[in-house]
Amino acid sequence: MRRSYLYVPAIDERKILKASLLGADVVVFDLEDAVPDDRRDEARVLLERILGDEGYRSSLRNVGSVCVRVNSISTIDFYKDILLVSKLEPVDCIVVPKAEVDLSFIHKATGRSLIALIETARGFTRLDEVATSEGVEALMLGVADLALDVGGSLEDYENLEYPRVELVVKAKAYGLEAVDKVYFKIDDLEGFRRDAMRARALGYTGKQVVHPNQIPIANQVFQPTEEEIEWARKVVEAYEKARLEGRGAVRLEGRLVDRVHYRIAKRLLETLKTQGAT
């Protein structure tokens, strides 16, 4: 399950070497915001050297996905990043920041899956085009750059429901994963938990994290509980029995269960089965 997406500065060798040991489902080596403009060539050299080491590549087997966040398409660094990613065997996905256009060309050029980071006004107006790009597997929300792009307050945009709902609705409409925003107050773990729980309630499947302390919380919040799994089994069993009897809805432990509840429960169980969790 891709519940936690850990950003790792591609310029920091110590953090790169520790990344696979921290329990994140997805490691995102960051060549964009976490690297000063004048050190990006240095970061690319470092990342290529470390990911080329066989011992380090073995450690990455503990990670569900290995991604690189490249620079914006509008920069020369983007093309340097793409050339690098094409050579890095362990990297299976690319996080594309400020996604605003059809990204199919990136997938075709690299063969890697894509995560589209939506963090501009234009990106929100072109969500359909981005979401239907070949190779896109997930939409990711970025509120800091969005607030900057529209001239708004970061604090207000962190608490604004509209972009969160808009993104998750578009993601689900096209069968994509939805990855929630960064929570910047890294010492406020209870606040992070509340933020993650709200995201899950809205339909998000995972969360971006910027500190190792956030990883176990994200993994816990976005992992179905035993109670939820057991309830899903009861819903599927009760609804399928009712359907055989010619009924489209059934009362289960004082709650009405109809087709939409059945489909939600069925999807949860099928996802867990696919991932070997049941």
Side-chain angles (χ1 to χ4, degrees), residues 233-243 247 250 252:
R233 291 192 179 112
K234 290 180 180 179
V235 167
V236 169
E237 181 181 354
Y239 184 83
E240 290 181 347
K241 180 180 178 181
R243 190 167 56 183
R247 293 182 290 151
V250 63
L252 178 62

Side-chain angles (χ1 to χ4, degrees), residues 2-60:
R2 302 205 291 189
R3 303 160 297 180
S4 51
Y5 292 69
L6 174 66
Y7 283 108
V8 180
I11 196 63
D12 191 322
E13 182 170 1
R14 181 183 65 84
K15 290 182 179 179
I16 294 172
L17 293 175
K18 288 178 58 179
S20 63
L21 308 175
L22 299 174
D25 292 333
V26 183
V27 169
V28 182
F29 296 113
D30 188 7
L31 286 167
E32 192 209 16
D33 286 347
V35 180
D37 292 350
D38 61 352
R39 298 190 68 190
R40 291 204 171 115
D41 286 335
E42 180 186 344
R44 282 185 281 265
V45 171
L46 177 63
L47 198 57
E48 183 174 14
R49 174 172 65 80
I50 294 177
L51 293 186
D53 180 78
E54 180 59 38
Y56 184 74
R57 289 205 302 267
S58 296
S59 73
L60 288 174

Side-chain angles (χ1 to χ4, degrees), residues 27-158:
V27 169
V28 182
F29 296 113
D30 188 7
L31 286 167
E32 192 209 16
D33 286 347
V35 180
D37 292 350
D38 61 352
R39 298 190 68 190
R40 291 204 171 115
D41 286 335
E42 180 186 344
R44 282 185 281 265
V45 171
L46 177 63
L47 198 57
E48 183 174 14
R49 174 172 65 80
I50 294 177
L51 293 186
D53 180 78
E54 180 59 38
Y56 184 74
R57 289 205 302 267
S58 296
S59 73
L60 288 174
R61 296 186 185 123
N62 298 323
V63 179
S65 291
V66 177
C67 303
V68 170
R69 177 161 72 169
V70 297
N71 282 277
S72 170
I73 292 173
S74 63
T75 68
I76 189 65
D77 280 304
F78 166 78
Y79 297 95
K80 293 180 180 180
D81 295 344
I82 291 300
L83 286 173
L84 172 65
V85 169
S86 299
K87 296 187 293 182
L88 297 179
E89 182 183 338
V91 176
D92 50 44
C93 76
I94 300 171
V95 175
V96 184
K98 301 173 180 64
E100 300 175 342
V101 298
D102 188 330
L103 305 176
S104 301
F105 74 98
I106 304 175
H107 173 69
K108 291 175 181 177
T110 64
R112 304 314 201 268
S113 63
L114 309 176
I115 298 176
L117 180 52
I118 308 300
E119 50 186 347
T120 64
R122 184 172 293 181
F124 270 92
T125 63
R126 297 182 175 179
L127 267 172
D128 293 275
E129 182 179 2
V130 174
T132 55
S133 302
E134 186 176 347
V136 170
E137 293 186 346
L139 298 181
M140 182 178 275
L141 177 61
V143 295
D145 277 286
L146 179 60
L148 177 65
D149 190 50
V150 302
S153 159
L154 173 57
E155 183 177 358
D156 286 326
Y157 268 81
E158 283 184 302

